[in-house]
Amino acid sequence: MTDLPLAPLQEGGIPVAEDPVIIAFGAAYLFVVVLIGAWGYMRTHSTSDFLITGKSVGTWVLAMTAFSVIQSGFGFVGGPELVYAFGTTPLWIFFTAPLGFLITWIVLAKRMRLLADIRNVLTLADAMYVRYESDWVRGLTGLAVVVGVIAYLATNLAALQFVMRAIFGIPVIWGLLGGALILLLYSMLGGMIAGVWTDFLQALTMIVGAAFVFAYAMSFGGGMETISRNLVTADPSLIGPFGAMGGASAAVLVAIAWWILFSVGAAGQPHLITKFYMSRNMTILKWGAPIAAISYAISSMIAFSAGLSMRAMVEAGEISETFDASEVGPVFVLEYTPSVVAGLILAALLAAIMSTSDSFLNIGAAAVSRDIPRAMGRPIEDDRTELRVTQAALAGLTVLATGVVYFSDALVGILGTIGWGFFAAAFVPIVVFGMNWKGATKEGAILAVLGGLFVNIVFSALPMALDVAGGDDWAEWIMGWYPYPEVFPVGTVALLVAIVLFVGGSLLTQEGAELPADLHTLMER
């Protein structure tokens, strides 16, 4: 067995911002985030306030929050990283995700918001218990949330360590640990009230910053024609319709798989769909989808432009590759944009990571303190006690996610797709189908969640854990059973397996199954 690393494996050549403008932007944003957290703490008096802001959010705030929790560190660090490494393959994520917002709004927005009115639901597991009237479904939903939260939170912490290094010049390890501590304090203070308003602030900043980065990146690379010519000379597949991930044939499969995962899979992301509980009323849902979709598309220009232009300049010999793929975004912003733009982008990224991670921590902690105990018949009856236990659970999840980053050498973008895949497989069948199909049954839901978790854990989480522990041979043996190229996203396979299990299981067990009476009207709207 190999020795475990004594420092994070994500190390490399991130330049340090010694510009006082950039440092001032970063410090000011952290200060604002702390103030918002303290303000949220003063307005948080119940578990409902902590988890869903007491249903007080309007159209623009809801749309911007929905967009920003999906983008976050994955889009700003993982996006340029994947584009730099594999060319146009990851663009199938960024050009597909806006469609995911539209699908999610159409199939779930009204139903989830109405459900929050007719029943006392605060979490996704609450909603699934109402729909299926099964403690097994509630408990498995809570378990799946916890597993997915750890993977997705790790994505944001992996991005956070690079941003803290870039702005403040601290070692990567202290960027990870210090950033995780700030995140934990912020989340324990403000809950979702603080997270929503930080989301709104950083969403506006990301949109403005993305436009500037796109312009500077295109100029830096000599325009799209020059970028394309340099990439074609090095490897034509880098600029082809499907990119270079895994070779020509594999890249086609990966692109299609990501198209499925990030369009349909968006409706299975609990940090997105539980946002519908927060809306002030039904009418404000109308324009949320196009606002969120357009905002995401604009912000994705950072991944597209920075990743391709940096790779083109390296291939042309204009710059030296002194950085890892994970560092492409921060390196470009620090070295090739003006101080004000760099400070704006990096500060917005700090806020994005903080607010998105806050959303993950809140839904994960609620699963630990509310969903799983209720599924086991041991609910916490006192609301204030439940709130405090929820806050305490934040610490455990933060430590676990920090450990994943510390010991894993996976790319930020890959960690992001793994977390997305966990959620999509577990929740698209039971939520999307379940809230739109009266024939869905609890047996089908149980099969779907178990099947989705099984595929993701066996072919994603377990091989990564074995690699870290020195069990390379075991990891290779497990992946030998995977029927697709290794680069083919496991999350897509798990999603399709879960859908088949859900539909098949429901069809076989429909006899005697009854939909709760008050849900008939909801599902007919």
Side-chain angles (χ1 to χ4, degrees):
M1 180 180 292
T2 59
D3 294 334
L4 293 178
L6 297 179
L9 299 181
Q10 297 95 339
E11 295 188 33
I14 299 179
V16 175
E18 299 176 340
D19 191 316
V21 173
I22 297 176
I23 296 173
F25 264 101
Y29 243 77
L30 283 180
F31 180 67
V32 170
V33 164
V34 171
L35 285 182
I36 293 175
W39 173 77
Y41 177 77
M42 291 186 290
R43 295 194 59 183
T44 299
H45 307 294
S46 67
T47 305
S48 174
D49 292 336
F50 192 83
L51 296 178
I52 63 171
T53 73
K55 302 176 184 177
S56 61
V57 173
T59 302
W60 280 92
V61 176
L62 177 66
M64 289 299 184
T65 297
F67 137 65
S68 59
V69 297
I70 296 298
Q71 186 62 282
S72 68
F74 171 73
F76 274 63
V77 176
E81 162 197 85
L82 290 176
V83 173
Y84 179 87
F86 305 115
T88 54
T89 309
L91 298 186
W92 285 79
I93 294 176
F94 297 109
F95 293 160
T96 295
L99 176 61
F101 288 106
L102 300 177
I103 292 173
T104 304
W105 246 264
I106 290 169
V107 299
L108 288 179
K110 286 186 178 180
R111 285 175 169 78
M112 298 301 284
R113 181 60 184 84
L114 282 170
L115 191 62
D117 278 341
I118 65 176
R119 297 287 192 99
N120 180 31
V121 295
L122 300 182
T123 66
L124 184 60
D126 282 344
M128 293 302 95
Y129 177 76
V130 170
R131 171 61 184 86
Y132 298 103
E133 297 184 316
S134 167
D135 283 325
W136 273 95
V137 174
R138 186 205 288 269
L140 287 173
T141 299
L143 177 63
V145 165
V146 171
V147 173
V149 159
I150 292 170
Y152 226 138
L153 182 59
T155 304
N156 283 279
L157 289 176
L160 181 60
Q161 64 183 350
F162 297 137
V163 178
M164 294 287 283
R165 164 71 176 168
I167 295 177
F168 301 111
I170 58 179
V172 173
I173 177 61
W174 294 114
L176 172 63
L177 298 180
L181 180 60
I182 294 171
L183 166 64
L184 179 59
L185 293 175
Y186 161 75
S187 300
M188 291 181 70
L189 279 175
M192 195 60 72
I193 291 177
V196 162
W197 285 101
T198 309
D199 282 339
F200 182 70
L201 175 64
Q202 58 93 3
L204 296 177
T205 310
M206 280 197 295
I207 292 170
V208 173
F212 279 110
V213 170
F214 178 79
Y216 281 105
M218 289 293 101
S219 175
F220 173 69
M224 198 62 217
E225 182 179 351
T226 302
I227 291 172
S228 300
R229 184 167 57 248
N230 289 336
L231 293 175
V232 166
T233 302
D235 180 358
S237 61
L238 287 171
I239 202 66
F242 299 105
M245 191 170 189
S249 59
V252 175
L253 292 174
V254 172
I256 294 172
W258 275 348
W259 182 85
I260 295 171
L261 188 60
F262 282 85
S263 57
V264 177
Q269 306 303 306
H271 50 297
L272 171 59
I273 57 183
T274 53
K275 293 290 186 289
F276 298 130
Y277 294 160
M278 303 177 187
S279 61
R280 189 179 303 125
N281 53 56
M282 294 292 296
T283 58
I284 70 172
L285 294 173
K286 182 177 181 180
W287 295 104
I291 293 171
I294 293 170
S295 300
Y296 186 94
I298 294 172
S299 71
S300 294
M301 293 191 301
I302 287 183
F304 165 74
S305 58
L308 288 183
S309 62
M310 288 288 280
R311 180 65 182 266
M313 295 300 279
V314 168
E315 297 295 350
E318 297 292 331
I319 61 174
S320 300
E321 191 177 34
T322 59
F323 45 82
D324 294 332
S326 296
E327 301 157 359
V328 166
V331 167
F332 176 77
V333 168
L334 279 174
E335 293 196 344
Y336 303 111
T337 66
S339 298
V340 173
V341 174
L344 188 73
I345 288 294
L346 292 175
L349 182 52
L350 270 181
I353 292 171
M354 291 292 179
S355 57
T356 303
S357 299
D358 176 52
S359 293
F360 290 130
L361 282 173
N362 283 333
I363 64 174
V368 173
S369 66
R370 178 182 176 87
D371 301 329
I372 295 176
R374 291 186 178 210
M376 298 173 66
R378 302 289 298 273
I380 301 174
E381 301 292 350
D382 180 68
D383 187 76
R384 295 293 294 178
T385 302
E386 184 180 60
L387 173 60
R388 297 310 174 205
V389 173
T390 300
Q391 292 171 319
L394 298 172
L397 291 172
T398 304
V399 170
L400 287 172
T402 303
V404 170
V405 179
Y406 188 89
F407 291 114
S408 172
D409 61 353
L411 297 176
V412 177
I414 297 301
L415 281 174
T417 60
I418 289 173
W420 184 282
F422 265 105
F423 284 146
F427 302 132
V428 165
I430 70 170
V431 181
V432 175
F433 286 70
M435 297 302 293
N436 289 276
W437 178 31
K438 294 181 181 180
T441 68
K442 64 181 180 182
E443 290 82 5
I446 292 169
L447 282 175
V449 177
L450 287 175
L453 282 175
F454 177 81
V455 174
N456 272 311
I457 289 173
V458 169
F459 293 116
S460 281
L462 189 56
M464 288 180 62
L466 288 171
D467 282 339
V468 170
D472 296 355
D473 293 339
W474 283 103
E476 186 176 345
W477 179 81
I478 290 172
M479 293 308 297
W481 292 91
Y482 189 58
Y484 302 98
E486 190 171 341
V487 294
F488 190 86
V490 174
T492 303
V493 179
L495 171 60
L496 297 176
V497 167
I499 290 174
V500 170
L501 289 174
F502 181 79
V503 174
S506 293
L507 289 174
L508 291 173
T509 58
Q510 280 186 338
E511 186 176 354
E514 293 185 7
L515 184 70
D518 57 352
L519 297 191
H520 278 279
T521 303
L522 180 150
M523 294 184 67
E524 289 167 359
R525 293 193 60 163

